[in-house]
């Protein structure tokens, strides 16, 4: 039997005869009026349990009850291929006990469909209906599965006079009007009251992750029959990915040397070796109000501030470059390089994911010069193996600046690297030594020293960008995923191979691990 349309979209059938319309008019006139302020029920249920079994042409009164009791208005519809079945009314008003009824006229053909009762804006209930002239039997639906996914439960559906091809388009949803039963992961799903005679299609699914279908024509009246359904994996919903992701390094030979080179680049931009005093005084002049620049420059020449500043810096217990180098090394030693962020699927970009970085090691992504978002390739292979590939950018000198701050926090009583530098440079003593200019006395000069060091430190951390030397982290990761019942990844562990690049031809091969988990899985 060809059914080109009935399962392509949900179909609601309300079938009636001319005499039915006449009876409905009479019954509406005799029915009690529905109070305008009647609340909706919290529960609506059919009094018939299990599948309603009818012979062709049979007339059966079906009752539905709402709780708490009240005269609710209840609507009735038939769902699926009713094969000519009909109800004598589309609405009924419940009595004071919350009970309402409808007369259901069975079709003249073997069929399966559902009777739906609903209250406006309130709950609804459905009753499976089976029609057969040859009797009814029980189907024990058993999955046949050789994959790696784990079912938490199974749902079986049985529909008459359809094919697996016709219902596959809506998979894994049960066909409209099907007889439906549920079962646990390790036992057959029992569907009682299946009609004998018509050809049956049996579908079985677990959430949105597994589905299978098979035809059944051997059911005998009053018997139970095992139906073995081959199960296949349904596609992963990659767009639903929301994973807190961490990429750690296991091996990265040469990375330490690369980071130390970036630290030297930062220091050269911060305080060039041999020109520390001149660089600091230049920065102090930039930190002064613009209208005081001439007075600062004149006094600098007149009182030979360059020589005085050079002598002051040379007398420090530790040169400022060495001090910064020590902080950077301490920060690097305590901060293994890793990348943290959230990996999200992109609904309108198949095969793509968005990685939003939050941390590089113990440095925030922003402080490490990592842009907030990167698009990456995100694909699934058989066996729920997921593959991530892409390139992320970063600023090595920004990252060195961040880890230097960690070294400062561990060794110095300062809120930031510039503040620690002002203390290490003994800015107060330098200000008193230089004496000042115009209305800017020793304390004012100390503030200009601190402000100048802040400007210099910023220039140091921005050295990568200034030189056009943007770093890259190339990622190629592959590993198995765990899915939830909606086929969305909720956990992923993978090995990753990649490359960390910086500068012209400078690159380091790296290997590591990926550990990713859904925030929802963590909260559970």
């Amino acid at each position: 039997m060809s059914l080109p349309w009935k399962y392509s979209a949900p179909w609601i059938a309300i079938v009636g005869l001319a005499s039915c319309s006449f009876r409905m008019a009479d019954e509406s006139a005799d029915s009690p009026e529905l109070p305008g302020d009647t609340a909706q029920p919290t529960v609506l249920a059919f009094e018939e349990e299990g599948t309603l079994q009818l012979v062709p042409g049979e007339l059966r009164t079906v009752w539905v009850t709402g709780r708490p009791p009240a005269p609710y208005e209840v609507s009735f519809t038939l769902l699926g291929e009713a094969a000519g079945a009909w109800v004598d009314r589309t609405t009924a008003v419940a009595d004071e006990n919350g009970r309402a009824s409808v007369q259901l006229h069975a079709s003249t053909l073997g069929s399966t469909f559902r009777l739906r009762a609903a209250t406006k804006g309130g709950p609804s209930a459905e009753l499976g209906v089976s029609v057969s002239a040859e009797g009814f039997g029980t189907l024990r639906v058993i999955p046949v599965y050789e994959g790696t996914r784990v079912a938490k439960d199974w749902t079986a559906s049985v529909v008459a006079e359809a094919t697996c091809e016709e219902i596959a388009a809506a998979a894994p949803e049960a066909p409209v009007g099907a007889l439906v039963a549920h079962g646990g992961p390790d036992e057959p799903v029992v569907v009682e009251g299946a009609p004998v005679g018509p050809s049956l299609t049996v579908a079985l699914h677990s959430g949105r992750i597994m589905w299978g279908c098979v035809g059944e024509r051997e059911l005998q009246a009053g018997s139970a029959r095992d139906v073995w359904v081959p199960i296949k994996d349904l596609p992963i919903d990659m767009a639903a990915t929301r994973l807190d992701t961490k990429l750690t390094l296991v091996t990265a030979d040469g990375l330490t040397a690369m980071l130390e080179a970036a630290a030297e680049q930062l220091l050269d931009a911060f305080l060039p070796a041999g020109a520390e005093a001149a660089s600091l005084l230049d920065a102090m002049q930039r930190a002064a109000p613009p209208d005081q620049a001439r007075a600062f420059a004149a006094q600098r020449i007149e009182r030979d501030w360059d020589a005085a500043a050079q002598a002051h810096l040379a007398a420090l217990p530790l040169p400022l470059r060495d001090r910064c180098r020590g902080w950077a090394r301490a920060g690097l030693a305590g901060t293994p390089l890793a990348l943290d962020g959230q990996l999200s699927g992109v609904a309108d970009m198949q095969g793509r994911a968005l990685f939003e970085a939050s941390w590089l090691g113990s440095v925030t992504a922003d402080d490490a010069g990592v842009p907030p978002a990167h698009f990456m390739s995100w694909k699934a292979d058989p066996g729920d193996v997921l593959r991530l590939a892409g390139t992320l950018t970063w600023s090595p000198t920004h990252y060195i600046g961040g880890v230097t701050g960690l070294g400062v926090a561990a060794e110095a009583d300062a809120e930031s690297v510039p503040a620690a530098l002002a203390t290490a440079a003994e800015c107060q003593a330098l200000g008193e030594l230089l004496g000042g200019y115009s209305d800017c006395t020793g304390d004012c000069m100390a503030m200009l020293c601190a402000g100048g060091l802040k400007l210099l430190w910023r220039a140091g951390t921005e050295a990568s960008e200034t030189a056009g030397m943007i770093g890259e982290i190339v990622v190629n990761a592959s590993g198995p995923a765990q899915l939830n019942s909606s086929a969305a990844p909720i956990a992923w562990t993978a090995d990753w191979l990649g490359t960390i690049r910086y500068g012209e031809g400078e690159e380091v091969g790296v290997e590591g691990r990926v550990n990713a988990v859904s925030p929802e899985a963590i909260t559970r």
Side-chain angles (χ1 to χ4, degrees), residues 128 225 445 481 516:
R225 178 172 171 78
M445 291 294 287

Side-chain angles (χ1 to χ4, degrees), residues 1 15 20 39 56 133 179 228 286 374 415 421 433 439 441 468 495 519:
M1 177 177 182
V15 187
C20 175
L179 306 181
W228 302 84
R286 293 197 303 272
H374 294 80
E415 63 182 12
L421 285 169
L433 174 65
D439 294 330
T441 59
D495 296 316

Side-chain angles (χ1 to χ4, degrees), residues 15-112:
V15 187
L17 301 177
S19 58
C20 175
S21 301
F22 177 79
R23 289 196 299 275
M24 288 169 58
D26 288 347
E27 287 162 359
S28 298
D30 296 338
S31 300
E33 293 185 3
L34 180 68
D37 60 352
T38 299
Q40 297 299 330
T42 58
V43 176
L44 189 68
F46 282 100
E47 296 181 4
E48 185 83 25
E49 295 183 357
T51 301
L52 180 61
Q53 301 172 21
L54 303 175
V55 298
E58 181 179 352
L59 174 64
R60 182 77 64 89
T61 300
V62 182
W63 291 87
V64 65
T65 302
R67 292 285 183 266
Y72 309 113
E73 184 178 48
V74 182
S75 63
F76 295 95
T77 53
L78 300 182
L79 306 178
E81 175 52 82
W86 54 279
V87 291
D88 69 331
R89 66 182 75 186
T90 58
T91 61
V93 177
D95 59 23
E96 66 276 7
N97 296 317
R99 300 178 74 226
S101 67
V102 66
Q103 287 191 329
L104 173 61
H105 295 250
S107 63
T108 58
L109 301 174
S111 58
T112 56

